[in-house]
Every structure is written in structure tokens, then in C-alpha cells.
């Protein structure tokens, strides 16, 4: 067995990368690389930020309910650069072997697949996005590779998981490590992700209001200790968290060997609720791994606007009617080996890092209220990328 260190970059890279590096003209980013070497005074590269750049990030998974497509546009509001989710698009993935087309449904910040959708090794898929203005973006075909099985997962608590500059201290949490046997005589590229599931007691909070007919309506809560009402979930419900970092790895130096206890993620202690952690080990195509490697290199080498990126963040997407348009992002289809682990956290001594307002679940006032008393104080567990009423595998 050999010790291996994985390659890590922050998943909240989009704002930083997109606005610090993916700027017009992208075609000129690498021009200086081809200039003749000689007595030429270096000129710092200049970048021209532009609103309206499209960034599409899609992932079709073999894990049911885990596929999504994000479509965002660069915007500037009050002098601050950011990303704005584009609504009203038509998002479909197509199986190029069978002709099957699957429509994704718009959610709060992404387009989500049906809960039973999943891809399988050997299949070829492509993404088709029709924007609200009629522009059509497509991806090159993506083939789904056979995943390499995880042989072991360990989730270990660390009271000093990582240093958070915003808090000016080390925060507690858990480290995720995996072991697997790398297949010999083949190039293998890995990508890890996870989802954590924590039980949720309250499904809706109405600030300065009460819950009626599927939503919050204004209500005068002056004189109350808390200016909101919390509504208990009418069914079992779990909140879902995703990684704050993404890990990639290739087997250049481990081909055919056993990789043991490779750290592939971290779970900050936001709450002390017990949780199920679903660890996913994906097998990537060389092109997909190269794309994610560029992201890592950009983050590692970032030093402001005058730091030329190693490559433009362009994946496998294109405008079906305009070959000259540069489309940022990528569509990836990949299969994974999945392991679910139940983690008890109730006896941890360190304080959770998330601050919570106390629940306010006292009965609503009825005397003098223009609204009838509620038939129930319960609220639905609405399915989304961040919440589910489906019990995660391994829950205890």
C-alpha cells in the first residue's frame, strides 16, 4: 500500500474562477504563450470583465436523484460581481444509444432529474439546453465508465478539522477517507463527492407571518418574543448538505495498487444531529478529469487579475447555432461506487459552528385574528436538492 494525497479545490470556486479568470476575450488568454522568446518587456495581461457570460455545469449520475444541471449568467449588481440562476430554460439529457430523452425540472437554484433517473456504465449521454431566448446549447457525447468499488470508508472526528479565516479559529468536523484497489493496466481517474442527511424537525419558518395555503402570509407579530412561527414537518424529513471541497485523483503513481485511507472530503460540524453520509466514488473520462484538474490549477495558482490562468475553463459544451460562441462549464456523465455510513454526533463536546434561532412553535393567536385557526400546525417536506422525505439508506 502507498500513501496518496488527492487533489482538492473548493466547490464554491464558481464566483472566484468565473469572475477573476473567465473574462473576455478568452481566446486571447493563451496568446502570449505563442509569442517568440526574446528581448521583450513583460506586459501584465489585462482582462475585461463582461456581464452576460453563460456558465453551465451538469452532472448525470448513476446514483438515483443525484443528477442536476446548473445554468447561470454573470451579472454585476451595485458594483458586486456574481452569478444569477437562469430560470425558464428547457433542460434534457438524451441517451444516444436508445434515443431516450429525460427532462430535468426547474428547482430553486438548479434543474433536477426525476428521482428515479440514473445512468449506467456503457451508456452514452448528451445534454441539450434550450434557453428562454431560444439559444440551444449542447454537449459532446459522454460515455459512462465502470466505477471502481470502494473497499472501505472511514469518517473520523477532528476537533480542529480546518482553519476558518472568517471565524479566526479552527473548526470541528469529520474527515472522510476511502480505500480501494486500483485496476491494473488501465488509466483510471477518480472524482469524489458526498451527500450528508440530517433529520429535520421544522420544515417552514414564517417571518412576520403565518403559514396558510402552502405559503407564508404577513401577520402582525408585534409584542411577541420571536417575530416568526416555525411549523413542524408533517412527515419524516432530512436536510441534505453537499461538499465544500471536491477531490480528484489519477492513478499515475498507483496503477494496480491498493490505495488506503485517502482523504477525500470533510464535514464541518454545522450541527450535532446524527447523520448518514453517502460517499460517492466516480470514474471519470480523461477529458472530464482534465477539466476538473484545470479548476484545481486555477485555484492553486490564483493571485488576482494579473495571474494568467493555465487554461480557459471550457469543457464539452457548444452553441448549436454559433460555433464562435465560447460556452463555459461542462456536462459530465459518470457512474459511482456508493457507501452509506451512519455517524453519531450527539456526544461531541465541541460546539456546532452554525448559529440557530430558537424554534417558535407556540400556538398561533386566534382571538381577534382575521384568519381562521390552522387545521394543522404541520408543514410539508418539499422535495428539493437540499431536502427529502425519502429515508436515506443506512438511517437508524
Amino acid at each position: 500500500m502507498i500513501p496518496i494525497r488527492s487533489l482538492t479545490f473548493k466547490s464554491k470556486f464558481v464566483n472566484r474562477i468565473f469572475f477573476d479568470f473567465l473574462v473576455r476575450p478568452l481566446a486571447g488568454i493563451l496568446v502570449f504563450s505563442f509569442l517568440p522568446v526574446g528581448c521583450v518587456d513583460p506586459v501584465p495581461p489585462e482582462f475585461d470583465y463582461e456581464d452576460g457570460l453563460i456558465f453551465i455545469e451538469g452532472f448525470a449520475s448513476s446514483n438515483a436523484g443525484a443528477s442536476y444541471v446548473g445554468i447561470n449568467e454573470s451579472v454585476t449588481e451595485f458594483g458586486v460581481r456574481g452569478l444569477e440562476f437562469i430560470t425558464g430554460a428547457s433542460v434534457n439529457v438524451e441517451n444516444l444509444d436508445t434515443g431516450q430523452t429525460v427532462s430535468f425540472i426547474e428547482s430553486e437554484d438548479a434543474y433536477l432529474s426525476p428521482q428515479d433517473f440514473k445512468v449506467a456504465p456503457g451508456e452514452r449521454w448528451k445534454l441539450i439546453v434550450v434557453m428562454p431566448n431560444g439559444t440551444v446549447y449542447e454537449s459532446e457525447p459522454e460515455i459512462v465508465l465502470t466505477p471502481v468499488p470502494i473497499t472501505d470508508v472511514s469518517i473520523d472526528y477532528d476537533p480542529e478539522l480546518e482553519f476558518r479565516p472568517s471565524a479566526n479559529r479552527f473548526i470541528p468536523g469529520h474527515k472522510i477517507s476511502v480505500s480501494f484497489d486500483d485496476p491494473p493496466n488501465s488509466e483510471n481517474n477518480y472524482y469524489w463527492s458526498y451527500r450528508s442527511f440530517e433529520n429535520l424537525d421544522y420544515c417552514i419558518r414564517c417571518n412576520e407571518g403565518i403559514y396558510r395555503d402552502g405559503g407564508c402570509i404577513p401577520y402582525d407579530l408585534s409584542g411577541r418574543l420571536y417575530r416568526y412561527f416555525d411549523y413542524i414537518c408533517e412527515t419524516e424529513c432530512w436536510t441534505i448538505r453537499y461538499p465544500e471541497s471536491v477531490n480528484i485523483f489519477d492513478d499515475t503513481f498507483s496503477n494496480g495498487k491498493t490505495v488506503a485511507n485517502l482523504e477525500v472530503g470533510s464535514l464541518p460540524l454545522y450541527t450535532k444531529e446524527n447523520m448518514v453520509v453517502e460517499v460517492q466514488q466516480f470514474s471519470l473520462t480523461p477529458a472530464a478529469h482534465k477539466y476538473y484538474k484545470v479548476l484545481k490549477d486555477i485555484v492553486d495558482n490564483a493571485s488576482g487579475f494579473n495571474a494568467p490562468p493555465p487554461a480557459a475553463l471550457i469543457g464539452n459544451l457548444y452553441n448549436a447555432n454559433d460555433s464562435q460562441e465560447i460556452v463555459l462549464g461542462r456536462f459530465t456523465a459518470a457512474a459511482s461506487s456508493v457507501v452509506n455510513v451512519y455517524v453519531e454526533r450527539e456526544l461531541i463536546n465541541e460546539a456546532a459552528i452554525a448559529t440557530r434561532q430558537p424554534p417558535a412553535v407556540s400556538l398561533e393567536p386566534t382571538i381577534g385574528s382575521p384568519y381562521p385557526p390552522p387545521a394543522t400546525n404541520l408543514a410539508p417536506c418539499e422535495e428539493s436538492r437540499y431536502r427529502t422525505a425519502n429515508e436515506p439508506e443506512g438511517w437508524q
Side-chain angles (χ1 to χ4, degrees):
M1 295 185 294
I2 59 175
I4 301 292
R5 175 171 292 182
S6 60
L7 306 177
T8 306
F9 60 85
K10 291 295 181 182
S11 64
K12 295 183 179 179
F13 58 82
V14 174
N15 282 344
R16 176 180 178 186
I17 295 172
F18 194 84
F19 302 112
D20 285 359
F21 300 108
L22 302 182
V23 286
R24 188 172 61 89
L26 284 172
I29 288 178
L30 300 180
V31 168
F32 58 85
S33 299
F34 301 95
L35 294 176
V37 178
C39 297
V40 179
D41 293 332
V43 178
E46 296 182 359
F47 299 99
D48 180 22
Y49 171 77
E50 182 181 87
D51 285 346
L53 295 174
I54 302 299
F55 185 92
I56 300 175
E57 191 75 22
F59 206 101
S61 171
S62 62
N63 199 13
S67 301
Y68 69 93
V69 175
I71 308 174
N72 293 277
E73 181 179 11
S74 58
V75 296
T76 302
E77 294 182 355
F78 307 106
V80 178
R81 295 171 292 192
L83 286 176
E84 184 175 85
F85 176 59
I86 297 178
T87 62
S90 172
V91 178
N92 297 276
V93 292
E94 179 184 352
N95 186 321
L96 298 178
D97 301 307
T98 66
Q100 174 193 11
T101 298
V102 179
S103 298
F104 281 43
I105 303 168
E106 183 178 319
S107 184
E108 52 192 300
D109 62 355
Y111 294 83
L112 307 181
S113 69
Q115 284 295 311
D116 59 351
F117 171 74
K118 55 185 178 181
V119 301
E123 295 177 341
R124 295 182 306 135
W125 291 86
K126 70 178 294 185
L127 172 68
I128 305 170
V129 173
V130 182
M131 303 291 281
N133 64 2
T135 302
V136 179
Y137 295 109
E138 298 184 6
S139 74
E140 300 290 346
E142 273 281 289
I143 188 169
V144 182
L145 303 181
T146 300
V148 175
I150 297 173
T151 57
D152 187 48
V153 171
S154 61
I155 300 180
D156 302 307
Y157 180 70
D158 186 346
E160 295 186 345
L161 178 69
E162 62 183 49
F163 184 78
R164 283 285 174 92
S166 59
N168 194 32
R169 65 181 179 91
F170 284 91
I171 62 169
H174 292 79
K175 294 180 180 178
I176 305 173
S177 300
V178 301
S179 300
F180 58 94
D181 296 320
D182 183 76
N185 305 318
S186 63
E187 177 185 352
N188 293 284
N189 302 287
Y190 301 92
Y191 164 90
W192 288 274
S193 189
Y194 70 79
R195 295 188 295 179
S196 65
F197 298 82
E198 303 169 17
N199 199 243
L200 193 62
D201 295 322
Y202 305 101
C203 279
I204 289 179
R205 166 168 290 181
C206 290
N207 292 298
E208 301 287 350
I210 58 177
Y211 181 71
R212 291 292 188 279
D213 300 323
C216 296
I217 59 176
Y219 190 81
D220 183 10
L221 296 181
S222 57
R224 287 180 51 86
L225 177 61
Y226 302 116
R227 305 287 289 271
Y228 53 85
F229 282 111
D230 288 317
Y231 294 85
I232 298 172
C233 303
E234 64 183 6
T235 62
E236 284 287 307
C237 194
W238 288 266
T239 186
I240 306 173
R241 300 184 193 272
Y242 293 88
E244 294 187 6
S245 64
V246 178
N247 293 268
I248 60 174
F249 171 74
D250 67 74
D251 66 352
T252 301
F253 301 107
S254 63
N255 188 274
K257 297 180 173 62
T258 294
V259 179
N261 298 319
L262 173 65
E263 186 177 331
V264 297
S266 60
L267 298 150
L269 188 71
Y270 286 111
T271 76
K272 292 188 179 182
E273 293 283 342
N274 295 338
M275 64 180 175
V276 164
V277 182
E278 177 189 80
V279 182
Q280 306 165 54
Q281 178 171 287
F282 292 92
S283 291
L284 295 183
T285 63
H289 182 266
K290 181 179 179 181
Y291 174 85
Y292 289 116
K293 178 64 165 60
V294 170
L295 291 181
K296 179 218 178 309
D297 289 344
I298 289 177
V299 172
D300 285 353
N301 299 323
S303 57
F305 278 106
N306 288 329
L313 245 186
I314 300 173
N316 57 355
L317 301 165
Y318 61 91
N319 184 325
N321 300 310
D322 181 5
S323 60
Q324 300 302 310
E325 180 180 355
I326 294 174
V327 186
L328 306 176
R330 192 179 202 284
F331 171 67
T332 300
S336 67
S337 171
V338 181
V339 174
N340 285 38
V341 181
Y342 184 74
V343 181
E344 295 184 1
R345 303 191 293 180
E346 296 171 337
L347 300 180
I348 292 176
N349 293 324
E350 286 72 26
I353 62 176
T355 57
R356 284 183 166 183
Q357 290 178 289
V361 292
S362 57
L363 295 176
E364 298 174 7
T366 56
I367 299 177
S369 171
Y371 302 102
T376 175
N377 278 326
L378 305 181
C381 178
E382 297 181 352
E383 291 287 332
S384 73
R385 190 162 183 253
Y386 307 99
R387 181 179 294 185
T388 184
N390 298 317
E391 181 177 303
E393 181 180 345
W395 185 259
Q396 300 178 18

